[in-house]
């Protein structure tokens, strides 16, 4: 998700020279979303973790993991970005640049892969719930894929950023000031793009559309034999987030693919710059879309926001009864 200018012989993490959006404008456009997004993330995580019903719902587990990645980015990546865009210059040490590059790109890929799995898993939870009917089945079908994705992601991008077989490029004047040298190798970059970016994006599209078709087909075929209300809730939750991912990540994924196919850097540079700018909104908007997809929490938040302050009751002293006796002169 970094400011990437793709070519076959340059890394993909340097700030684009044709930045058509002024840094101070980026600062304000990110800041006005970052603050409410941060508090929305805290609100969601609190209720998803401490509400037993929500916590035990299998369809919410991937959302919880994604929200933790969002929170991690909101307390690291985005404050650093805002500081850079406000001051425009920032001399950063090499180790800090490596860590920032890892957070900026690797966590973005993790979110994409996790939601791709969520798109597949939602079919299992709706149409094959017997696959997760026991603890053993739940471990292998529900928990193990999450664990595997996290382990694969950690090993892959730790190797890319911290233990490469070549020399990473360092330029402290750029926002993302470290270029992972492995991305300059075409075969490696092509593998990373297709496996970690293109395939998850296509998975989200295909399985989201299939889910919508299967739910409507099942509804009209079986009538009352399925729990339509529950399935509709899980379907809408997935589709809300899928639309967000596709609208924001698809332009950027398309640019990466076209650059790998040989599109010259001078063609589509303006569109690439906007696509990179918009790609950072996937984290900022994810909490709001998740909140809309959870009607019980959305209703609870509305009640909190519209709650009227209690009026302070004024304690009235009892008025003593008048004495009708006339005092003698």
């Amino acid at each position: 998700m970094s400011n990437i200018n793709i070519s076959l012989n340059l890394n993909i993490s340097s700030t684009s020279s044709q930045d058509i959006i002024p840094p101070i404008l980026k600062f304000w456009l990110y800041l006005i979303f970052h603050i409410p997004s941060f508090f929305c993330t805290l609100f969601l995580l609190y209720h998803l973790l401490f509400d037993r019903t929500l916590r035990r719902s299998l369809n919410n587990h991937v959302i919880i993991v994604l929200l933790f990645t969002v929170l991690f980015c909101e307390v690291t990546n985005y404050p650093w970005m805002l500081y850079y865009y406000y001051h425009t210059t920032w001399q950063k040490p090499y180790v800090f640049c490596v860590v920032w590059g890892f957070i900026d790109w690797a966590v973005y890929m993790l979110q994409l892969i996790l939601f791709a799995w969520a798109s597949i898993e939602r079919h299992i939870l709706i149409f094959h719930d017997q696959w997760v009917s026991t603890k053993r089945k739940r471990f292998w079908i529900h928990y193990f894929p999450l664990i595997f994705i996290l382990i694969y992601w950690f090993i892959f991008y730790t190797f890319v950023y911290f233990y490469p077989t070549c020399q990473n490029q360092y330029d402290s004047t750029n926002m993302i000031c470290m270029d992972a040298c492995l991305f300059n190798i075409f075969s490696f970059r092509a593998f990373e793009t297709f496996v970690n970016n293109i395939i998850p994006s296509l998975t989200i599209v295909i399985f989201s559309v299939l889910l919508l078709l299967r739910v409507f087909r099942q509804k009209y075929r079986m009538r009352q034999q399925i729990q339509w209300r529950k399935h509709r809730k899980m379907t809408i939750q997935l589709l809300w987030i899928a639309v967000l991912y596709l609208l924001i990540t698809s332009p950027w994924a398309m640019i990466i693919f076209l650059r790998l196919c040989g599109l010259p850097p001078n063609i589509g540079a303006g569109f690439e710059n906007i696509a990179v700018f918009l790609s950072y909104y996937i984290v900022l908007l994810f909490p709001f879309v998740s909140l809309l997809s959870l009607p019980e929490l959305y209703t609870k938040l509305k009640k909190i926001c519209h709650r009227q302050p209690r009026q302070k009751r004024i304690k009235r002293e009892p008025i003593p009864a008048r004495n009708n006796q006339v005092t003698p002169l």
Side-chain angles (χ1 to χ4, degrees), residues 4-14 169 179 182-186 189-190 193 252 255-266 272:
I4 296 174
N5 189 15
I6 302 176
S7 64
L8 296 182
N9 55 1
L10 293 175
N11 183 19
I12 313 179
S13 304
S14 59
Q169 301 172 10
D179 293 343
L182 288 174
F183 289 150
N184 292 330
I185 304 173
F186 178 81
R189 184 59 196 178
T193 298
W252 186 218
I255 284 291
I256 296 176
F257 176 75
L258 292 177
R259 293 284 187 242
L260 287 174
C261 292
L263 183 69
N266 60 329
E272 175 184 340

Side-chain angles (χ1 to χ4, degrees), residues 91-107:
Q91 295 296 322
K92 304 174 285 293
Y94 176 76
V95 174
F96 178 81
C97 291
V98 175
V99 173
W100 192 354
F102 175 86
I103 295 173
D104 182 79
W105 183 251
V107 176

Side-chain angles (χ1 to χ4, degrees), residues 70-253:
V70 167
L71 182 63
F72 180 70
C73 289
E74 288 179 333
V75 298
T76 55
N77 194 23
Y78 285 82
W80 300 341
M81 287 170 49
L82 293 171
Y83 182 89
Y84 175 84
Y85 284 132
Y86 187 80
H87 296 278
T88 65
T89 57
W90 184 12
Q91 295 296 322
K92 304 174 285 293
Y94 176 76
V95 174
F96 178 81
C97 291
V98 175
V99 173
W100 192 354
F102 175 86
I103 295 173
D104 182 79
W105 183 251
V107 176
Y108 173 69
M109 289 290 99
L110 174 62
Q111 293 168 341
L112 193 62
I113 296 171
L114 283 173
F115 191 69
W117 162 244
S119 303
I120 299 173
E121 186 191 38
R122 201 56 56 99
H123 287 259
I124 299 174
L125 298 179
I126 294 178
F127 302 105
H128 306 284
D129 55 346
Q130 69 275 10
W131 293 5
V132 290
S133 58
T134 65
K135 289 185 177 180
R136 184 173 183 179
K137 290 179 179 180
R138 278 195 297 273
F139 173 79
W140 290 108
I141 301 297
H142 176 69
Y143 293 106
F144 178 76
L146 283 175
I147 297 172
F148 176 80
I149 289 172
L150 291 173
I151 293 175
Y152 160 77
W153 164 82
F154 182 77
I155 294 176
F156 184 90
Y157 285 103
T158 298
F159 169 74
V160 169
Y161 282 92
F162 298 99
Y163 302 101
T165 56
C166 50
Q167 185 64 40
N168 291 329
Q169 301 172 10
Y170 169 64
D171 184 359
S172 63
T173 60
N174 290 332
M175 188 186 81
I176 306 301
C177 45
M178 193 281 296
D179 293 343
C181 60
L182 288 174
F183 289 150
N184 292 330
I185 304 173
F186 178 81
S187 58
F188 182 87
R189 184 59 196 178
F191 171 83
E192 193 263 354
T193 298
F194 281 99
V195 173
N196 296 349
N197 196 337
I198 303 297
I199 292 179
S201 298
L202 291 176
T203 301
I204 294 172
V205 174
I206 295 171
F207 281 86
S208 297
V209 173
L210 285 177
L211 179 65
L212 189 61
L213 295 176
R214 290 185 71 182
V215 165
F216 279 109
R217 179 171 174 265
Q218 195 83 335
K219 176 188 175 183
Y220 289 108
R221 281 188 59 189
M222 304 185 69
R223 300 287 179 176
Q224 302 298 326
Q225 296 183 30
I226 64 169
Q227 299 175 350
W228 165 242
R229 185 176 180 180
K230 177 182 177 182
H231 294 175
R232 182 184 61 181
K233 178 182 173 182
M234 288 194 290
T235 304
I236 292 175
Q237 183 188 52
L238 178 78
L239 294 179
W240 267 105
I241 303 174
V243 170
L244 173 68
Y245 270 85
L246 295 176
L247 288 178
I248 294 182
T249 63
S250 295
W252 186 218

